[in-house]
Amino acid sequence: MRRNIAGVESCAVAFSGGVDSTLVMRVAHDVLGDRAIAVTALSESLPTGELEEASDLASNMGVRHVVLRTFETQDQNYLANAPNRCYFCKTEMYTRITEFARAEGLATVLDGLNRDDLSDRRPGRAAAIEHGVISPLVDANLDKEEVRALSRQFGLPTWDKPALACLSSRIPHGTPITLQALTQVDRAETFLRKLGVRQVRVRHLGAAARIEVEPRDFDLVRHHESEIGAHLNKLGFAEVVLDPEGYRPGSLHSITAGV
């Protein structure tokens, strides 16, 4: 991975502050120094607190950090929330990051895709390929478990950080994305995290909210059931349920609007 990154000479790293992109950024900075710049895309689909965490991580690594505003929520293709929604988001993001890289005289753009991601349905991958984005973790044949292990060896605080996903992923395909829905989800998940829940998804099912947490947090959520229900009711959810199967990535893939 170090050898491959050294070969690009300079880069912008699409930096979310998650486990994968933080490791890529750390190695890129170690190899390329100030010729590697962290770039975070900011939009309404970014969960509260993530930008601040990314900024703190970059600062602690001694990395230059740039925030670029993206506008996928103004794209009707994105708002339609079809199964290929991520393609339009990533197209917007990589267009702006590659434009920035070009203006800065940087040779390429790196992302945090790992080997495990290749087995998942990721329309955004096509946008990355179209923009010539390089995936150092994939090229080094590193899976998620290995990324976490290496991150721990580096002393990165993200080594056990819960998986990230944009807020739009909480809304079933076919249900149009609205800024109101994104705000509802964001505020609901922020409230739950303040109670001590680490991994959480609040699935937006119209008037209902389905809360997914890891089984270890079931008792915590049940203990605060009344205040969680009251808070989410105020946000506009008439019904609030705890999913008995717990958190699982992509659980909305089988749900479509009206089901």
Side-chain angles (χ1 to χ4, degrees):
M1 183 173 165
R2 287 179 180 275
R3 184 169 58 251
N4 290 343
I5 289 177
V8 305
E9 297 186 350
S10 63
C11 66
V13 177
F15 181 63
S16 68
V19 184
D20 302 310
S21 65
T22 298
L23 179 61
V24 171
M25 188 66 251
R26 168 61 188 272
V27 174
H29 179 64
D30 286 352
V31 173
L32 301 175
D34 60 9
R35 290 174 294 152
I37 300 174
V39 183
T40 301
L42 173 62
S43 77
E44 292 80 1
S45 65
L46 184 69
T48 292
E50 292 303 326
L51 178 60
E52 292 76 11
E53 286 192 24
S55 179
D56 288 344
L57 283 166
S59 177
N60 290 336
M61 290 188 288
V63 170
R64 179 185 170 193
H65 184 218
V66 174
V67 179
L68 297 180
R69 188 72 170 86
T70 59
F71 300 93
E72 64 270 18
T73 55
Q74 296 180 16
D75 182 351
Q76 292 303 313
N77 291 312
Y78 176 83
L79 295 177
N81 199 19
N84 64 341
R85 176 197 68 234
C86 292
Y87 171 79
F88 301 105
C89 174
K90 296 299 186 183
T91 294
E92 165 72 1
M93 184 183 80
Y94 287 129
T95 294
R96 296 190 181 275
I97 294 179
T98 53
E99 288 175 350
F100 167 80
R102 191 177 303 115
E104 291 284 326
L106 302 174
T108 192
V109 175
L110 309 183
D111 71 5
L113 196 78
N114 67 63
R115 190 182 72 203
D116 289 341
D117 295 328
L118 298 178
S119 62
D120 192 17
R121 186 180 186 281
R122 288 180 175 260
R125 177 66 175 154
I129 293 171
E130 289 171 5
H131 286 79
V133 175
I134 295 173
S135 303
L137 300 177
V138 172
D139 292 342
N141 201 33
L142 294 172
D143 62 22
K144 192 73 170 189
E145 184 177 347
E146 292 168 326
V147 169
R148 289 190 183 278
L150 286 170
S151 297
R152 191 172 190 177
Q153 290 178 30
F154 274 115
L156 296 173
T158 49
W159 75 269
D160 65 343
K161 183 174 182 176
L164 288 173
C166 83
L167 294 171
S168 296
S169 67
R170 304 349 179 226
I171 303 171
H173 291 316
T175 300
I177 293 169
T178 65
L179 297 185
Q180 178 184 4
L182 296 179
T183 299
Q184 285 176 302
V185 168
D186 190 31
R187 291 179 178 175
E189 292 186 357
T190 298
F191 181 78
L192 283 155
R193 288 192 185 95
K194 287 180 178 178
L195 293 176
V197 177
R198 289 202 73 214
Q199 181 67 279
V200 59
R201 298 288 187 269
V202 175
R203 307 299 186 184
H204 195 297
L205 306 176
R210 190 182 79 200
I211 299 173
E212 294 181 14
V213 300
E214 293 179 331
R216 65 182 178 184
D217 285 326
F218 281 176
D219 288 343
L220 175 62
V221 172
R222 292 187 180 112
H223 179 72
H224 293 281
E225 182 177 0
S226 60
E227 54 189 299
I228 292 172
H231 187 80
L232 269 62
N233 287 161
K234 289 180 181 179
L235 292 177
F237 294 111
E239 181 183 1
V240 180
V241 297
L242 175 63
D243 192 314
E245 296 185 45
Y247 165 72
R248 52 209 186 279
S251 66
L252 281 186
H253 287 179
S254 60
I255 298 177
T256 56
V259 178

